[in-house]
């Protein structure tokens, strides 16, 4: 396997870029509004928990909320009491989890690979599109990714050393993951480790860990209290909704229309790895070819393939499900970074990205013309206002700045052409995503929610709304009521729901959303 030639100057440069990526991400996450539906749900549930001080049964707009386990709200609710209901407050646990994730990657790389490999893997993790968008949102994807990484890293340590003291730690991480996201935090490590130990002909060692009863006692002591209390309070409804619908149901059926073909995650993987897609493909290929050279290669491949296959088989599919399988890929990319010796691979990705962003507004307009959904059509009708001349000015500035930065790194600071190109493209992609694309999407989707919530505040009366845009309640400052409205009541809804209230007075309408009073 090829190794990156490193010098203290290169290490320092990568460290500076990693720090810059993290700062840019943090600043952006404090500026962006909450995105519906997931971030709005997590935020409103945390606000209601902070207000009610009921740390057992989470509620969304006053009704029991069974879709997610409890850990997210235990982390977010105290922060709401301390700092208030701000987007960055709800995202803080995920941000800290991502820092832990990066630290775990470096620690593992130092132990079994090389610090330079760990540093590169950290850079790829911190700048990949999927991690930036999903793992650092006000949800539990970043927390789960860090906990699954901690679990599987300790499983590999156990494989190498056979130390029984590592087993309880594995179960600790799985227990916390079980409280963060449910059974998937146990399924992925168990399936991955089983097939890895099977391929290494060490199943007896795997079974020793599985049958290590003190570790199971620790796991149950952490997980059972909340599940038992919730079942005691809510009864069979909790089992039916959370365990059967939200977990088993996602495997055997389609929830909320989120499905896809068996090949769904192939294009998703290429997309969420941007701007490092070409390196990912090359690294995965080389890892497969050289798998017989090193058990660590086989471990990383089995980890990724297990995640990929399990979610491909599951009937409910969403892009962010794949995040917990990216850690081994980041390490492979760090190991095989020299496999892409031609800077055109990186420059080509940047040019394609720039071209796509340049034609994005016109493509959205073309899609809008073919849509039959009144809400989406109305939302996209603001495309021209959002993607205005300022959008193209900033896109041009970033492109020029990227070229200048690459030239400076190469000819003034005398770094290699491949290093200069890779770091410049990585930074450019990061800035465009955080400061151009996500704000534009937020403007289209969330600004109407924010404006109507602010307008509704002046009436100082309850608002009826369903739970599809829960950030409305966050911005309103009080829960909404998910029911059919009566005469004289305020209703927040989408334009495609207006038929539910034939007699009404529209008080304010924006971006396909309406605040009305029932006549």
């Amino acid at each position: 396997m090829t190794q990156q030639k490193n010098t203290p100057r290169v290490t320092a440069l990568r460290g500076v870029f990693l720090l810059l990526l993290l700062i840019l991400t943090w600043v952006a996450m404090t500026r962006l509004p909450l995105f519906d539906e997931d971030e709005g749900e997590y935020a409103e549930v945390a606000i209601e928990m902070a207000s009610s001080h009921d740390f057992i049964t989470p509620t969304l707009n006053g009704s029991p909320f069974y879709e997610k386990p409890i850990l997210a709200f235990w982390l977010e609710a105290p922060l709401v009491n301390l700092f208030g209901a701000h987007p960055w407050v709800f995202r803080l646990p995920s941000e800290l989890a991502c820092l832990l994730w990066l630290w775990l990657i470096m620690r593992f790389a130092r132990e079994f690979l090389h610090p330079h490999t760990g540093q590169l893997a950290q850079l790829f993790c911190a700048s990949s599109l999927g991690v930036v968008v999903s793992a650092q949102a006000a949800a539990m994807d970043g927390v789960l990714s860090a906990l699954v990484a901690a679990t599987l890293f300790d499983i590999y340590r156990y494989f190498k050393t056979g130390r029984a003291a590592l087993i309880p730690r594995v179960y600790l991480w799985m227990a916390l993951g079980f409280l963060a996201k449910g059974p998937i935090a146990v399924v992925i490590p168990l399936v991955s480790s089983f097939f890895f130990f099977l391929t290494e002909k060490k199943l007896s060692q795997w079974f020793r860990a599985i049958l290590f009863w003190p570790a199971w006692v620790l796991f149950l002591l952490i997980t059972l209290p909340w599940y038992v209390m919730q079942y005691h309070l809510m009864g069979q409804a909790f089992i039916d909704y959370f365990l059967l619908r939200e977990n088993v149901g996602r495997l055997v059926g389609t929830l909320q229309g989120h499905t896809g073909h068996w090949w769904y995650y192939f294009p998703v993987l290429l997309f969420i790895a941007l701007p490092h897609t070409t390196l990912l493909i090359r690294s995965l290929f080389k890892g497969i070819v050289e798998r017989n050279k090193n058990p660590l290669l086989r471990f990383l491949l089995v980890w990724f393939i297990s995640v990929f296959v399990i979610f491909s088989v599951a009937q409910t599919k969403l892009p962010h499900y794949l995040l917990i399988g990216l850690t081994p890929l980041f390490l492979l990319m760090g190991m095989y970074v020299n496999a892409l010796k031609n800077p055109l691979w990186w420059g080509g990705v940047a040019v394609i990205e720039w071209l796509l962003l340049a034609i994005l507004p016109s493509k959205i307009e073309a899609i809008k013309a073919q849509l039959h959904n009144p809400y989406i059509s109305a939302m996209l009708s603001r495309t021209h206002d959002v993607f205005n001349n300022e959008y193209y000015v900033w896109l041009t500035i970033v492109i020029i700045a990227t070229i200048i930065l690459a030239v400076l790194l190469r000819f003034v600071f005398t770094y290699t052409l491949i290093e200069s190109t890779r770091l410049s493209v990585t930074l450019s992609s990061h800035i465009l995503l955080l400061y151009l694309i996500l704000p534009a999407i937020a403007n289209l989707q969330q600004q109407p929610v924010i404006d109507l919530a602010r307008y509704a505040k002046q009436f100082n009366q309850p608002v009826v709304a369903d739970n599809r845009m829960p950030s409305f309640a966050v911005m309103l400052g009080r829960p909404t009521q998910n029911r059919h409205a009566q005469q004289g009541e305020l209703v927040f809804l989408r334009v495609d729901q207006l038929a539910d209230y034939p007699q009404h007075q529209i008080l304010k309408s924006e971006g396909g959303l309406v605040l009305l009073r029932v006549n």
Side-chain angles (χ1 to χ4, degrees):
M1 114 190 21
T2 55
Q3 292 291 331
Q4 171 73 26
K5 292 181 180 179
N6 297 281
T7 66
R9 289 180 70 244
V10 172
T11 301
L13 178 67
R14 292 172 184 164
V16 169
F17 268 74
L18 177 61
L19 180 60
L20 184 57
L21 292 173
L22 295 175
I23 292 173
L24 288 170
T25 302
W26 170 250
V27 172
M29 291 301 172
T30 63
R31 293 157 53 95
L32 289 168
L34 296 169
F35 286 86
D36 285 315
E37 176 177 335
D38 282 0
E39 282 199 311
E41 280 183 345
Y42 277 96
E44 179 57 25
V45 172
I47 290 171
E48 293 180 28
M49 181 174 284
S51 175
S52 68
H53 303 290
D54 180 353
F55 288 88
I56 304 302
T57 303
T59 61
L60 176 61
N61 291 318
S63 300
F65 183 70
Y66 299 134
E67 289 189 19
K68 313 294 181 185
I70 197 64
L71 184 60
F73 314 118
W74 283 349
L75 295 174
E76 293 176 4
L79 295 175
V80 172
N81 283 327
L82 282 174
F83 302 112
H86 308 289
W88 70 267
V89 172
F90 305 112
R91 292 174 179 141
L92 184 58
S94 292
E95 295 281 354
L96 296 176
C98 284
L99 292 178
L100 173 63
W101 190 6
L102 294 174
W103 179 80
L104 289 168
I105 288 172
M106 175 57 83
R107 184 186 176 199
F108 185 80
R110 283 181 180 274
E111 192 171 349
F112 297 104
L113 292 164
H114 194 280
H116 298 305
T117 302
Q119 188 182 45
L120 285 163
Q122 286 181 314
L123 269 170
F124 299 139
C125 179
S127 57
S128 291
L129 185 147
V131 175
V132 175
V133 171
S134 295
Q136 305 190 72
M140 281 290 99
D141 299 300
V143 173
L144 179 65
S145 296
L147 291 172
V148 169
T151 304
L152 281 155
F153 286 159
D154 275 345
I155 287 173
Y156 188 77
R157 292 185 179 99
Y158 169 69
F159 164 79
K160 293 291 288 186
T161 65
R163 290 171 50 213
L166 287 166
I167 300 175
R169 206 162 72 184
V170 169
Y171 282 73
L172 169 64
W173 306 137
M174 289 197 297
L176 293 175
F178 199 80
L179 289 175
K181 269 289 193 176
I184 195 65
V186 177
V187 171
I188 294 298
L190 290 186
V191 171
S192 302
S193 60
F194 172 80
F195 283 107
F196 174 65
F197 279 80
L198 177 65
T199 59
E200 301 302 309
K201 298 179 174 57
K202 289 192 174 183
L203 266 185
S204 60
Q205 184 181 352
W206 185 83
F207 278 111
R208 283 200 299 273
I210 291 296
L211 300 175
F212 192 72
W213 66 266
W216 281 110
V217 171
L218 175 64
F219 180 89
L220 294 175
L221 284 173
I222 294 171
T223 58
L224 269 188
W226 176 73
Y227 282 93
V228 170
M229 285 188 287
Q230 185 71 313
Y231 176 71
H232 176 72
L233 292 171
M234 297 291 115
Q236 190 62 33
F238 171 65
I239 300 296
D240 291 343
Y241 199 97
F242 174 72
L243 289 178
L244 299 182
R245 180 184 184 273
E246 288 295 318
N247 288 277
V248 177
R250 290 179 185 272
L251 178 64
V252 301
T254 300
L255 292 187
Q256 299 172 329
H258 300 305
T259 188
H261 296 286
W262 62 269
W263 44 263
Y264 175 90
Y265 285 108
F266 284 97
V268 165
L269 178 62
L270 302 181
F271 183 70
I272 65 176
L274 285 171
H276 314 297
T277 303
T278 50
L279 177 60
L280 180 145
I281 296 171
R282 183 64 173 156
S283 300
L284 192 55
F285 174 77
K286 285 188 71 67
I288 292 171
V289 170
E290 299 183 1
R291 66 189 182 278
N292 292 327
K293 293 184 177 181
N294 189 336
L296 178 54
L297 281 175
R298 296 190 290 276
F299 174 74
L300 297 176
L301 291 169
V302 169
W303 177 352
F304 166 70
I305 292 170
S306 297
V307 173
F308 194 89
V309 171
I310 287 173
F311 287 123
S312 294
V313 170
Q315 296 302 299
T316 299
K317 293 178 172 65
L318 284 167
H320 64 265
Y321 289 175
L322 212 54
L323 285 178
I324 57 177
L326 293 185
T327 303
L329 296 183
F330 295 139
L331 287 166
L332 285 173
M333 291 156 66
M335 295 164 68
Y336 291 111
V337 68
N338 283 345
L340 289 185
K341 298 179 180 179
N342 192 331
L344 290 178
W345 284 111
W346 297 92
V349 170
V351 170
I352 292 172
E353 190 176 83
W354 297 339
L355 290 174
L356 290 175
L357 293 181
I359 65 174
L360 178 63
S362 61
K363 289 298 181 183
I364 294 176
E365 292 284 358
I367 292 171
K368 183 190 73 173
Q370 301 173 9
L371 292 174
H372 301 290
N373 185 305
Y375 163 65
I376 298 179
S377 295
M379 179 182 69
L380 297 182
S381 67
R382 300 174 56 246
T383 299
H384 184 72
D385 296 329
V386 173
F387 294 92
N388 51 26
N389 290 335
E390 185 178 350
Y391 169 85
Y392 289 102
V393 169
W394 282 111
L395 177 59
T396 304
I397 290 173
V398 172
I399 293 172
I400 294 173
T402 303
I403 297 171
I404 292 174
L405 177 61
V407 170
L408 288 175
L409 290 175
R410 176 67 185 96
F411 296 105
V412 177
F413 297 99
T414 64
Y415 291 100
T416 63
L417 182 58
I418 185 68
E419 190 78 38
S420 302
T421 307
R422 179 170 59 240
L423 291 176
S424 301
V425 169
T426 297
L427 183 61
S428 165
S429 180
H430 202 67
I431 291 172
L432 288 172
L433 175 63
L434 288 172
Y435 292 92
L436 197 64
I437 301 305
L438 288 181
I441 295 172
N443 197 336
L444 277 176
Q445 177 180 305
Q446 297 303 136
Q447 193 59 46
V449 180
I450 295 169
D451 292 342
L452 267 65
R454 289 172 176 168
Y455 184 78
K457 278 186 177 182
Q458 66 180 299
F459 295 99
N460 196 29
Q461 68 180 88
V463 178
V464 174
D466 63 24
N467 291 334
R468 280 187 281 185
M469 292 190 175
S471 69
F472 178 85
V474 178
M475 295 302 303
L476 185 65
R478 57 182 181 271
T480 57
Q481 300 179 14
N482 186 8
R483 57 176 175 79
H484 193 79
Q486 304 299 314
Q487 183 177 355
E489 290 187 313
L490 297 179
V491 182
F492 168 73
L493 42 60
R494 303 183 340 181
V495 292
D496 55 359
Q497 299 172 287
L498 283 174
D500 295 343
Y501 298 97
Q503 302 297 321
H504 63 263
Q505 173 193 0
I506 293 180
L507 303 176
K508 187 175 179 62
S509 177
E510 182 181 334
L513 301 177
V514 176
L515 183 71
L516 60 80
R517 188 183 299 279
V518 180
N519 290 335

